[in-house]
Amino acid sequence: MAKTVFVLRADVDHYVAFLACTDKGWEKFELFDGRPLLATWSPVEVEEDHEEGRGDRPNGDFPSLLRHVPVFSARAVEALRPILSASGEILQLTCKKCRGGQYFAFNVKRVLNVLDRDRSKIKYFSTGRVMRVLKYELVENLLTDSAIFKIPEMARSEVFVDDQFASAVASERLTGFSLEKVWPHK
């Protein structure tokens, strides 16, 4: 049976989002492209986004920060630890006024070359780099042991998860996740 692949998103319509408190924090998040960061990591301070009435939203287990930088609550880290440990690094964040407790950034180090460029619908920059993928076609046999991963073409813009990850989120009743199915298309 084929895996199902989703783009990992936060439910920003119903749960609080986070912001980095400093420009240096935002710069550190730009490094989340598959390279190891744990050895040199120092916690980045984040805060809840209270603009436009967002502060009245509850804290979930997966607050939004940046698409390529997943953030998990301590509860989610414990529930998903086997999946997360196999695919990347759990990095501490500091949030002095977060109502939901401790949060962690997740550096996805598993970068899989699974995008079938010939069969996918892709919008390119004039330089030939991928701007965005309109329709994903993946090479199925390369998706083994890939519950959470990135692809080289989108390493600084998307995180992908499979049905194993989605099942773990559902069975643990974790909140704040919005999984957008991107493959297969049936």
Side-chain angles (χ1 to χ4, degrees), residues 29-166:
F29 292 134
E30 287 304 311
L31 301 174
F32 282 62
D33 61 3
R35 73 182 93 175
L37 299 173
L38 185 61
T40 60
W41 184 258
S42 58
V44 172
E45 187 172 351
V46 296
E47 63 186 357
E48 295 176 358
D49 181 1
H50 292 289
E51 287 188 35
E52 300 177 25
R54 289 180 184 234
D56 60 348
R57 295 178 184 165
N59 286 66
D61 294 305
F62 189 69
S64 173
L65 182 67
L66 293 168
R67 284 182 166 185
H68 71 290
V69 182
V71 173
F72 298 99
S73 68
R75 177 177 172 255
V77 166
E78 286 311 307
L80 301 171
R81 189 173 295 282
I83 291 171
L84 299 178
S85 297
S87 300
E89 301 168 328
I90 301 165
L91 306 171
Q92 186 174 353
L93 296 174
T94 302
C95 190
K96 295 175 184 164
K97 296 182 182 177
C98 288
R99 298 168 291 164
Q102 180 65 49
Y103 289 88
F104 299 85
F106 183 67
N107 179 32
V108 180
K109 292 190 333 181
R110 183 165 291 188
V111 181
L112 303 176
N113 192 13
V114 296
L115 183 66
D116 184 333
R117 285 185 176 222
D118 293 333
R119 293 180 33 231
S120 297
K121 290 184 183 175
I122 302 172
K123 184 168 179 138
Y124 292 93
F125 289 106
S126 60
T127 61
R129 285 186 39 237
V130 173
M131 179 186 298
R132 75 181 160 192
V133 178
L134 305 169
K135 181 180 177 189
Y136 289 89
E137 291 296 342
L138 305 178
V139 181
E140 185 173 358
N141 65 332
L142 299 178
L143 289 170
T144 58
D145 298 326
S146 55
I148 182 168
F149 63 96
K150 291 183 176 186
I151 61 174
E153 296 86 352
M154 308 297 288
R156 293 178 96 191
S157 61
E158 301 289 3
V159 174
F160 300 87
V161 298
D162 71 0
D163 37 8
Q164 175 191 0
F165 183 95

